[in-house]
Amino acid sequence: MNITIKDIARHAGVSTATVSNVLTQKKYVSSNLEQQVYKAIKELGYRPNVYARNLKTNRSHIIGVHVPDITNPFFSEGVKIIQNVAGNEGYQIILYDSDNNLQSESKNFESMLDAHVDGIIAIAPRINIDDLLKITDVPLVIMDRPPLKTDRNVAFVYADNYHGAASVADYLIGKGYTRFYCLAGPIKIVSNAEARLSGFTETLKRHGIPEDACEIHYGDFTFDSGFALMKEVLKNYKPEGSAAAAFISSDIMAWGAMEALKEQRLKMPRDMGIVGYDNIYFSSFLYPKLTTVENPIREMSINAANLMLDALERRQNLSGFSVALRSALIVRKSC
Amino acid sequence: MNITIKDIARHAGVSTATVSNVLTQKKYVSSNLEQQVYKAIKELGYRPNVYARNLKTNRSHIIGVHVPDITNPFFSEGVKIIQNVAGNEGYQIILYDSDNNLQSESKNFESMLDAHVDGIIAIAPRINIDDLLKITDVPLVIMDRPPLKTDRNVAFVYADNYHGAASVADYLIGKGYTRFYCLAGPIKIVSNAEARLSGFTETLKRHGIPEDACEIHYGDFTFDSGFALMKEVLKNYKPEGSAAAAFISSDIMAWGAMEALKEQRLKMPRDMGIVGYDNIYFSSFLYPKLTTVENPIREMSINAANLMLDALERRQNLSGFSVALRSALIVRKSC
DNA sequence: CAGCGTATCCAAAGCGTTTTGCACTGCAAT
DNA sequence: ATTGCAGTGCAAAACGCTTTGGATACGCTG
C-alpha cells in the first residue's frame, strides 16, 4: 500500500487541500501548518502520484524526443542537451529512436500521442509534417529541417543546408577540383539531404561545371552506407592527380567512405578530396582531419528546448517561430 | 475538450464498462457490441487517457533507463537495443543521462521514482546499490557492473571485467612488453574501472613484473580524459624500442590517448602499444585498428531488457538473477 | 455594536479510467 | 411452474490528486 496525500493530511492534522497547497505553492498556507506538512512528508517518505496529478491537471511534464538514430553522435549530442535544459525546468524526456525508418517513425509519433506527452521535439524527422499536424495539436519543434509556412503550433530550428552545401561547392571549385562525387542522403524523404545535394549541384552549374562532371550516389547517412557507396564509386575510379573530390552528406557517412578509400590504399586528399557535413565532435580526429560544414547541433538543441519550454510554461504559441542558424564551412585537411 | 470513454460509450450506445472491456480484452463482449465500439473509437478518433489508466492500474508501462553519457557509442547502442525490445512489448523508456556525474545520477534515480516508472535499467551506474534499494522496490536491472548478493528485486547483467583485463596483461606480457601504463577510470566510484585496473595489475604481479614497471593514471572514461592523461604520460616518456604498452580502460578514452600520441608524432604500436576496452563499433576504424576487449553491450542490453520484461509482464522476481557474459580479447593492430 | 473585508482552512467534486458487484435474460434441469 | 446457472451488460465506486466554493475567525470601520 502506497502513501497518499490522505495519509499526509491525517498525519499532519490538516486537509488534503492544504497538503496540496503547500506542495503546489498555489495558495498561501500559514508557515505553521506548512512545517507540519513537510514534516509528515519526510516522515512517511511521501511521493506524490504523478498520474493522479497529471490526470487532474492534464499535463505530464514529459517531452517526446524523436531521433532517427541515437547511435549517431550528432543526434545523441542533441538529445543530451535537450535533456539537460528541459530537465532544469522539471521536464523529462521520452526517447524515440526510429532507426532511420519512416514507418517506425510514424509509429513513434503515434506512441508519443498515446503517451500524452506535453510537446514533441523531433530531430530531423522524415514524416510529412502536415500529416503529423492532422493528428495532433501539441506544441511541436522540428529541428534540422527547413521551415514550413503554417499557422499551427509548430516552430522550426534549422541551419541553411542549401547554403552550407553551396559553400562547399564554391570552396572545391576554388581549390581547382574539376571532377565531383556526391554521396547524398535519402533526398526523397529527408529534405536536408535534398538541400545539401541541390545546394551543391546547382552551385556547380552556376559556375559552369558540366553536369556529367558530378556523379551522384544515394545512401542513408550511416557509416555503412558511406562505406558501400564509396566502394561503388571506386569500382571505376582512376585517381588523376588530385582532380576529384567527394562531397558527402554526413560526417559519419564520410567516415565510412574514408574507410573504403583506405581499404584500397588511396590517400586523401591526394587521390580524392573529401568534404563531410555536420561537424560532429569526432570529425577533427579522423585522418585526415575532415573538412566539413558546421551543423550547429548545440545551438539548435538549446533553441529547440527553449522554444518548447516557452510553449509549455509561458503558453506561447509556436506558430511562425523559426530560428535559422548559420552553417559555416570548416576547412581542415581532407581536401 | 478531449474525447473520453464516455463519449465513446454514448456514441456506441453502451456503458463505459463495456468500452473498457473491449479495450482491455479482460471480459467477453459480444462481437456485435464490440464492432460498434470499435466503430465509435475510429469515428471520434479516441485515444485513451493513459494517466487515468495508470492511476487506476498503478502501472505506467514506462521503464527508466539510466546512462552515464548518451554521447558514448557504447551506451547509445545499449539504449537503442533496450528501446527496441521493450518497445515490442509495449513499453516506453524515459532516458536519464547523468553526464558521468554521481550527483546528477542520484537526482536522476529520484526523478525516475517520482515519475513512477515500472522498472529501472541502469547502465553502469555509480550509485551505491544498497542506497538505491533503500528508497524503492521497483524491479531493477543493473548492467555492466558486478553483481551483489541480495534478496531484493534486482538482477545483474555483466561481463567479467577482471578477467578481460587479465587477458590483456597476459597478452601484452606474451608479446614481450616490459613497461606498462594504465589509464584507468574512476576506480573509487565505478567498480568496473576498479576491476579493469586490478585485473591488469594483479596479473602483472602474478607474472613477476615489478610494481614500478606499471604507471597508473586516473581519468573518467571520456575522450578528453584519455587525451589529457596520455599527454601527462608523454611529458617524461622516451620510446625505447617497443617496450612500453598502455592499457586504457575504455575505447573512447583510448581514442583520446591515441590522438595525444599522434600529436607528438609518435607511432603506434612502434613507440607505444595501445589496448582499449569495450570494443565499440568504431574501434576497428581507428588508426591503427584498436586492440581491445569485447564488452558485449548488445547481449547485455538484450538480456537486461528481457529480464525487465519478465519482471514486469511475468511477475518474476529478479532476485538472484544474474547473467554473466564472456569478455574476450580482440587482437587488432595497435600493439 | 453591526457590517464588512481579509486571512486561513476545509469538504467535496471531479479528472478518465478500471473493476466490482449486481441485474437481467434465457435456457436447462428439476 | 420453479429453480439454478451461464452469459452478458451496466451502475457506481475507486484510484490519488487539484481546485472550487464556501465556512470560520478575526480585525477594522463607521
Side-chain angles (χ1 to χ4, degrees):
Chain A
M1 196 50 198
N2 264 327
I3 293 145
T4 76
I5 199 172
K6 276 188 193 170
D7 300 319
I8 301 302
R10 200 175 318 125
H11 197 262
V14 300
S15 74
T16 64
T18 301
V19 177
S20 175
N21 282 330
V22 349
L23 248 28
T24 59
Q25 313 262 33
K26 293 219 167 166
K27 271 197 178 178
Y28 179 80
V29 175
S30 68
S31 67
N32 188 7
L33 291 194
E34 204 177 21
Q35 292 316 314
Q36 286 173 245
V37 169
Y38 280 132
K39 189 153 153 277
I41 289 178
K42 185 164 281 178
E43 283 180 10
L44 302 187
Y46 169 61
R47 258 177 227 288
N49 183 318
V50 282
Y51 297 116
R53 172 177 295 171
N54 292 349
L55 172 59
K56 187 66 187 168
T57 60
N58 210 20
R59 311 276 317 272
S60 64
H61 285 261
I62 289 183
I63 298 172
V65 175
H66 161 270
V67 292
D69 176 13
I70 189 63
T71 268
N72 186 325
F74 180 74
F75 298 127
S76 60
E77 182 153 1
V79 168
K80 183 166 194 141
I81 292 166
I82 292 171
Q83 209 226 206
N84 215 294
V85 352
N88 285 339
E89 294 217 34
Y91 281 81
Q92 328 228 21
I93 71 174
I94 300 195
L95 182 69
Y96 296 83
D97 179 325
S98 54
D99 224 1
N100 283 316
N101 178 336
L102 183 55
Q103 246 181 333
S104 47
E105 195 181 302
S106 308
K107 256 194 246 160
N108 279 340
F109 284 114
E110 286 287 343
S111 300
M112 291 194 211
L113 298 179
D114 287 340
H116 280 235
V117 297
D118 283 348
I120 296 178
I121 299 180
I123 313 187
R126 303 175 174 199
I127 198 172
N128 182 313
I129 303 285
D130 286 323
D131 287 351
L132 189 51
L133 290 172
K134 239 172 256 161
I135 57 174
T136 181
D137 50 5
V138 301
L140 217 54
V141 177
I142 309 290
M143 277 173 63
D144 196 24
R145 184 168 156 165
L148 248 51
K149 285 257 176 297
T150 170
D151 55 350
R152 303 293 298 280
N153 198 1
V154 194
F156 293 84
V157 181
Y158 64 102
D160 188 335
N161 284 248
Y162 185 94
H163 278 99
S167 64
V168 173
D170 285 334
Y171 173 73
L172 290 178
I173 292 167
K175 274 261 177 181
Y177 285 100
T178 55
R179 256 202 79 56
F180 304 93
Y181 295 91
C182 253
L183 307 194
I187 61 165
K188 296 266 171 54
I189 44 181
V190 180
S191 45
N192 269 351
E194 148 66 15
R196 290 174 193 181
L197 178 60
S198 59
F200 187 77
T201 56
E202 289 174 13
T203 304
L204 291 187
K205 186 180 293 175
R206 209 172 317 117
H207 281 271
I209 309 272
E211 208 163 301
D212 63 355
C214 180
E215 189 177 313
I216 302 171
H217 295 252
Y218 300 95
D220 70 355
F221 284 143
T222 62
F223 182 98
D224 290 344
S225 135
F227 186 84
L229 258 42
M230 184 53 83
K231 274 197 110 156
E232 197 149 312
V233 165
L234 294 180
K235 267 182 194 157
N236 22 3
Y237 179 72
K238 289 171 208 50
E240 310 153 4
S242 65
F247 171 50
I248 305 177
S249 275
S250 87
D251 281 355
I252 205 85
M253 211 171 157
W255 190 357
M258 289 164 80
E259 293 305 317
L261 282 157
K262 288 177 189 172
E263 208 183 67
Q264 310 246 356
R265 315 226 162 282
L266 261 26
K267 298 278 187 203
M268 297 152 279
R270 196 194 61 192
D271 299 319
M272 188 185 287
I274 301 284
V275 182
Y277 208 110
D278 282 346
N279 190 31
I280 60 176
Y281 185 71
F282 296 131
S283 59
S284 61
F285 301 113
L286 301 176
Y287 285 83
K289 296 181 198 302
L290 184 62
T291 291
T292 188
V293 180
E294 165 93 29
N295 197 8
I297 185 66
R298 294 190 63 85
E299 288 78 358
M300 285 198 284
S301 305
I302 293 172
N303 274 288
N306 281 326
L307 279 169
M308 182 53 73
L309 291 172
D310 284 345
L312 297 179
E313 293 285 286
R314 266 80 70 191
R315 308 222 144 278
Q316 182 174 114
N317 192 293
L318 259 25
S319 162
F321 273 82
S322 65
V323 179
L325 296 165
R326 288 212 52 78
S327 205
L329 184 70
I330 295 183
V331 175
R332 288 199 275 251
K333 303 287 183 189
S334 63
C335 71
Chain B
M1 195 52 195
N2 264 328
I3 293 144
T4 75
I5 199 172
K6 278 188 193 168
D7 300 318
I8 302 301
R10 199 175 318 126
H11 198 259
V14 300
S15 74
T16 63
T18 300
V19 177
S20 175
N21 283 329
V22 349
L23 247 30
T24 60
Q25 312 261 34
K26 292 218 168 169
K27 271 195 176 179
Y28 179 81
V29 175
S30 68
S31 67
N32 188 7
L33 291 194
E34 204 177 20
Q35 293 315 316
Q36 286 173 245
V37 169
Y38 280 131
K39 188 153 154 276
I41 288 177
K42 184 162 282 177
E43 285 180 12
L44 302 187
Y46 169 61
R47 258 178 227 286
N49 183 318
V50 283
Y51 298 116
R53 172 176 295 171
N54 291 350
L55 172 60
K56 189 66 189 168
T57 59
N58 209 22
R59 309 276 317 272
S60 65
H61 285 260
I62 289 183
I63 298 171
V65 175
H66 162 269
V67 291
D69 176 13
I70 189 62
T71 269
N72 185 325
F74 179 75
F75 298 126
S76 61
E77 183 153 1
V79 168
K80 184 167 192 138
I81 292 166
I82 292 171
Q83 208 227 207
N84 216 294
V85 354
N88 285 340
E89 294 217 35
Y91 282 81
Q92 328 227 21
I93 71 175
I94 302 196
L95 181 69
Y96 296 83
D97 180 324
S98 54
D99 223 0
N100 284 315
N101 177 336
L102 183 54
Q103 247 182 335
S104 48
E105 195 182 302
S106 308
K107 256 195 247 160
N108 279 340
F109 283 115
E110 285 288 342
S111 301
M112 291 194 211
L113 298 178
D114 287 340
H116 280 236
V117 297
D118 283 348
I120 296 178
I121 298 180
I123 313 187
R126 302 175 175 199
I127 199 172
N128 182 312
I129 304 285
D130 286 322
D131 286 351
L132 189 52
L133 290 173
K134 241 171 255 161
I135 57 173
T136 181
D137 50 3
V138 301
L140 217 54
V141 177
I142 309 289
M143 277 173 62
D144 197 25
R145 183 167 157 166
L148 249 50
K149 285 258 174 295
T150 169
D151 56 348
R152 302 291 300 280
N153 199 1
V154 194
F156 292 84
V157 181
Y158 64 102
D160 188 335
N161 284 248
Y162 185 94
H163 278 99
S167 65
V168 172
D170 285 335
Y171 173 74
L172 290 178
I173 292 168
K175 274 263 178 180
Y177 285 101
T178 55
R179 257 202 78 57
F180 304 92
Y181 295 91
C182 253
L183 307 195
I187 61 165
K188 296 266 171 54
I189 43 179
V190 180
S191 45
N192 269 351
E194 147 67 12
R196 289 173 193 181
L197 178 60
S198 58
F200 187 76
T201 55
E202 289 174 13
T203 304
L204 290 187
K205 188 180 290 175
R206 207 172 317 115
H207 281 271
I209 308 272
E211 208 164 302
D212 63 357
C214 180
E215 189 178 313
I216 303 171
H217 294 251
Y218 300 95
D220 71 355
F221 285 143
T222 62
F223 182 97
D224 290 344
S225 134
F227 187 83
L229 257 43
M230 184 53 82
K231 275 198 109 156
E232 197 149 312
V233 165
L234 294 180
K235 266 183 195 157
N236 23 5
Y237 178 73
K238 289 170 209 49
E240 310 151 5
S242 66
F247 172 49
I248 304 176
S249 274
S250 88
D251 281 356
I252 205 85
M253 211 171 156
W255 189 355
M258 289 164 79
E259 293 305 318
L261 282 157
K262 288 179 188 170
E263 208 183 68
Q264 309 247 353
R265 312 227 165 282
L266 262 24
K267 295 280 186 201
M268 295 151 283
R270 196 194 61 193
D271 299 317
M272 187 185 287
I274 301 283
V275 182
Y277 209 110
D278 283 345
N279 190 31
I280 61 175
Y281 185 73
F282 295 132
S283 60
S284 61
F285 301 114
L286 301 177
Y287 284 85
K289 295 181 199 301
L290 184 61
T291 292
T292 188
V293 180
E294 165 92 29
N295 197 8
I297 184 66
R298 293 191 64 84
E299 289 79 357
M300 286 199 283
S301 305
I302 293 172
N303 274 288
N306 282 326
L307 279 170
M308 182 53 73
L309 292 172
D310 285 344
L312 297 179
E313 292 287 284
R314 268 104 35 208
R315 307 223 144 278
Q316 182 173 112
N317 192 293
L318 259 23
S319 163
F321 273 82
S322 65
V323 179
L325 297 165
R326 287 215 50 79
S327 205
L329 184 71
I330 296 182
V331 175
R332 289 198 275 251
K333 304 288 184 189
S334 64
C335 70

